[in-house]
Amino acid sequence: MSSGKVDGVFRMRSLGTATAGITDQYADGKAAKVWQLYIGDQSSRTQNYKTFLVNLLAQKRVSTILDTACGTGVDSVMLLEEGFKMTSSDASDKMLKVAHKTRWERRKEERFEDWVIEEANWLTLEEDIEKPQGGFDAVICMGNSFAHLPDFHGDQRDHMKCFENFSNMVKPGGIFIIDHRNYDYILANGKSPAKNIYYNSSHIQDIKTSVLYVNNKPNLITLDYFMNVE
């Protein structure tokens, strides 16, 4: 993906979400600059999945939400506009800079002045985020974010710790929403499904799918996006 906004080719491939001992994959700031182009036009994207998410939250009578992988704040902004009270976190301060900028630019609008934005790590979530009394009505982890967490120990202990932390942030009777790509489909068909409600940029020209096998078992799936952002 090339653009005058970034230097040469922008590659999303990385070790995964920043955790202790792992360099922030978004530290150079390039991803934050082109993220909106990567996920697609916000209005069309909203049409594709806003109804699903908002209706689900409304059914649970949700008011307070913790967005644990907010990135530049795209989903959080959508939910703020729908009247939810948002706390948004991400492990990348470069991505959060965009969210902070958005909050400042829209600070006079209802809900935006009270929008809480924090840098946080899933493995230390309870230490990094101050939760309301009893917990959040909903915790969300959208955009295939959780799939970027490496399993360095080979026993998914970090993943289980993260789920424990997510659970502890939700109030009793609340809801936790996590989404990710259909990896079963990718393994069975060698490519991503044609339909995607989250990443639907009109700039996408091609997606190359690679599967790394270790001891004859799938270990890593990589999707290389080729985009025209001229």
Side-chain angles (χ1 to χ4, degrees):
M1 181 167 72
S2 62
S3 168
K5 297 180 182 178
V6 296
D7 299 325
V9 177
F10 167 62
R11 298 194 179 277
M12 286 296 295
R13 184 179 297 176
S14 69
L15 287 174
T17 302
T19 58
I22 304 177
T23 303
D24 178 2
Q25 61 179 317
Y26 305 121
D28 58 10
K30 292 181 180 179
K33 292 180 181 178
V34 296
W35 195 253
Q36 191 66 56
L37 296 174
Y38 176 57
I39 65 172
D41 176 70
Q42 192 159 342
S43 60
S44 62
R45 178 171 168 275
T46 295
Q47 293 169 7
N48 282 324
Y49 105 123
K50 173 180 176 181
T51 301
F52 155 74
L53 184 57
V54 171
N55 284 351
L56 184 57
L57 294 169
Q59 288 170 15
K60 291 290 185 177
R61 301 178 184 270
V62 167
S63 174
T64 59
I65 302 174
L66 171 61
D67 182 354
T68 62
C70 74
T72 59
V74 174
D75 286 325
S76 292
V77 168
M78 180 186 76
L79 294 171
L80 283 163
E81 292 173 343
E82 290 297 310
F84 295 101
K85 184 176 181 180
M86 298 299 303
T87 297
S88 306
S89 67
D90 201 274
S92 171
D93 63 339
K94 292 296 189 298
M95 299 291 272
L96 289 177
K97 281 183 178 179
V98 179
H100 280 289
K101 182 174 182 290
T102 301
R103 182 179 64 182
W104 173 256
E105 291 174 344
R106 302 184 63 173
R107 64 192 182 281
K108 294 184 179 180
E109 297 180 38
E110 189 176 2
R111 295 290 183 183
F112 279 83
E113 185 179 4
D114 298 323
W115 180 14
V116 177
I117 302 172
E118 299 285 358
E119 184 175 346
N121 187 308
W122 296 332
L123 289 168
T124 55
L125 197 59
E126 289 190 274
E127 301 170 23
D128 298 340
I129 299 294
E130 182 179 352
K131 67 179 179 181
Q133 186 174 4
F136 291 93
D137 297 333
V139 172
I140 64 174
C141 184
M142 310 300 287
N144 196 53
S145 300
F146 195 71
H148 288 77
L149 181 67
D151 182 21
F152 287 131
H153 305 287
D155 57 8
Q156 297 189 325
R157 70 181 71 172
D158 287 341
H159 297 74
M160 290 186 282
K161 177 60 177 175
C162 290
F163 276 118
E164 179 185 335
N165 290 341
F166 291 146
S167 176
N168 289 339
M169 298 302 285
V170 184
K171 75 175 187 181
I175 182 172
F176 171 51
I177 304 173
I178 182 170
D179 83 329
H180 56 77
R181 295 182 182 277
N182 189 339
Y183 290 106
D184 291 332
Y185 180 97
I186 294 174
L187 290 173
N189 297 275
K191 61 181 181 180
S192 292
K195 229 173 141 182
N196 191 320
I197 63 172
Y198 202 94
Y199 299 108
N200 57 12
S201 172
S202 61
H203 298 279
I204 298 172
Q205 294 185 319
D206 194 15
I207 305 173
K208 300 295 185 183
T209 303
S210 305
V211 181
L212 173 66
Y213 283 80
V214 176
N215 294 331
N216 207 33
K217 293 182 179 180
N219 181 267
L220 176 69
I221 295 175
T222 302
L223 303 177
D224 286 317
Y225 277 68
F226 295 82
M227 303 176 66
N228 181 359
V229 295
E230 296 299 332

Short mmCIF file of all heavy atoms in Angstrom, two decimals, residues 5-6 28-37 72 95 98:
data_model
loop_
_atom_site.label_atom_id
_atom_site.label_comp_id
_atom_site.label_asym_id
_atom_site.label_seq_id
_atom_site.Cartn_x
_atom_site.Cartn_y
_atom_site.Cartn_z
N LYS A 5 1.31 9.94 1.94
CA LYS A 5 1.24 10.17 3.38
C LYS A 5 2.23 9.29 4.15
O LYS A 5 2.53 9.55 5.29
CB LYS A 5 -0.18 9.86 3.88
CG LYS A 5 -1.25 10.77 3.29
CD LYS A 5 -2.61 10.38 3.83
CE LYS A 5 -3.71 11.24 3.23
NZ LYS A 5 -5.05 10.84 3.70
N VAL A 6 2.67 8.20 3.52
CA VAL A 6 3.57 7.29 4.21
C VAL A 6 4.77 7.02 3.32
O VAL A 6 4.79 7.36 2.15
CB VAL A 6 2.86 5.96 4.56
CG1 VAL A 6 1.73 6.20 5.52
CG2 VAL A 6 2.35 5.27 3.30
N ASP A 28 5.63 3.54 14.81
CA ASP A 28 6.11 4.52 13.84
C ASP A 28 5.03 5.48 13.39
O ASP A 28 5.29 6.45 12.68
CB ASP A 28 6.74 3.83 12.62
CG ASP A 28 5.78 2.90 11.89
OD1 ASP A 28 4.56 2.93 12.22
OD2 ASP A 28 6.23 2.15 11.01
N GLY A 29 3.80 5.25 13.81
CA GLY A 29 2.70 6.17 13.50
C GLY A 29 2.11 6.02 12.11
O GLY A 29 1.12 6.67 11.78
N LYS A 30 2.67 5.14 11.28
CA LYS A 30 2.17 5.01 9.90
C LYS A 30 0.75 4.44 9.87
O LYS A 30 -0.09 4.87 9.09
CB LYS A 30 3.11 4.13 9.09
CG LYS A 30 4.47 4.76 8.82
CD LYS A 30 5.35 3.84 7.99
CE LYS A 30 6.71 4.48 7.72
NZ LYS A 30 7.58 3.58 6.92
N ALA A 31 0.51 3.43 10.72
CA ALA A 31 -0.81 2.81 10.72
C ALA A 31 -1.90 3.81 11.08
O ALA A 31 -2.97 3.83 10.48
CB ALA A 31 -0.83 1.63 11.69
N ALA A 32 -1.63 4.64 12.08
CA ALA A 32 -2.62 5.62 12.52
C ALA A 32 -2.99 6.58 11.40
O ALA A 32 -4.14 7.01 11.28
CB ALA A 32 -2.10 6.39 13.73
N LYS A 33 -2.01 6.91 10.55
CA LYS A 33 -2.25 7.87 9.48
C LYS A 33 -3.19 7.33 8.40
O LYS A 33 -3.91 8.08 7.76
CB LYS A 33 -0.92 8.28 8.83
CG LYS A 33 -0.01 9.10 9.72
CD LYS A 33 1.28 9.45 9.00
CE LYS A 33 2.22 10.24 9.89
NZ LYS A 33 3.49 10.55 9.20
N VAL A 34 -3.15 6.02 8.19
CA VAL A 34 -3.92 5.45 7.08
C VAL A 34 -5.00 4.48 7.55
O VAL A 34 -5.61 3.79 6.74
CB VAL A 34 -2.98 4.73 6.08
CG1 VAL A 34 -2.03 5.72 5.43
CG2 VAL A 34 -2.21 3.61 6.77
N TRP A 35 -5.26 4.43 8.85
CA TRP A 35 -6.19 3.44 9.38
C TRP A 35 -7.58 3.57 8.79
O TRP A 35 -8.24 2.58 8.47
CB TRP A 35 -6.25 3.55 10.90
CG TRP A 35 -6.90 2.37 11.54
CD1 TRP A 35 -8.13 2.30 12.11
CD2 TRP A 35 -6.34 1.06 11.67
NE1 TRP A 35 -8.37 1.04 12.59
CE2 TRP A 35 -7.29 0.26 12.33
CE3 TRP A 35 -5.12 0.49 11.29
CZ2 TRP A 35 -7.07 -1.09 12.62
CZ3 TRP A 35 -4.89 -0.85 11.58
CH2 TRP A 35 -5.86 -1.62 12.23
N GLN A 36 -8.06 4.81 8.64
CA GLN A 36 -9.40 5.01 8.10
C GLN A 36 -9.50 4.47 6.68
O GLN A 36 -10.51 3.89 6.28
CB GLN A 36 -9.76 6.50 8.11
CG GLN A 36 -11.22 6.79 7.82
CD GLN A 36 -12.14 6.26 8.92
OE1 GLN A 36 -11.98 6.60 10.08
NE2 GLN A 36 -13.09 5.41 8.56
N LEU A 37 -8.42 4.63 5.90
CA LEU A 37 -8.41 4.09 4.54
C LEU A 37 -8.43 2.57 4.58
O LEU A 37 -9.03 1.92 3.71
CB LEU A 37 -7.17 4.57 3.79
CG LEU A 37 -7.05 6.08 3.54
CD1 LEU A 37 -5.71 6.41 2.92
CD2 LEU A 37 -8.18 6.56 2.63
N THR A 72 -7.72 4.10 16.71
CA THR A 72 -7.89 5.54 16.51
C THR A 72 -9.25 6.04 17.00
O THR A 72 -9.53 7.23 16.92
CB THR A 72 -7.75 5.89 15.02
OG1 THR A 72 -8.72 5.16 14.26
CG2 THR A 72 -6.35 5.54 14.51
N MET A 95 -1.78 5.29 18.06
CA MET A 95 -3.18 5.19 17.62
C MET A 95 -4.07 6.08 18.48
O MET A 95 -4.99 6.73 17.99
CB MET A 95 -3.64 3.74 17.70
CG MET A 95 -2.85 2.78 16.82
SD MET A 95 -3.12 3.03 15.04
CE MET A 95 -4.54 1.97 14.79
N VAL A 98 -4.73 9.87 17.69
CA VAL A 98 -5.83 10.22 16.78
C VAL A 98 -7.14 10.33 17.56
O VAL A 98 -7.94 11.24 17.34
CB VAL A 98 -5.96 9.19 15.65
CG1 VAL A 98 -7.11 9.54 14.71
CG2 VAL A 98 -4.66 9.10 14.85
#
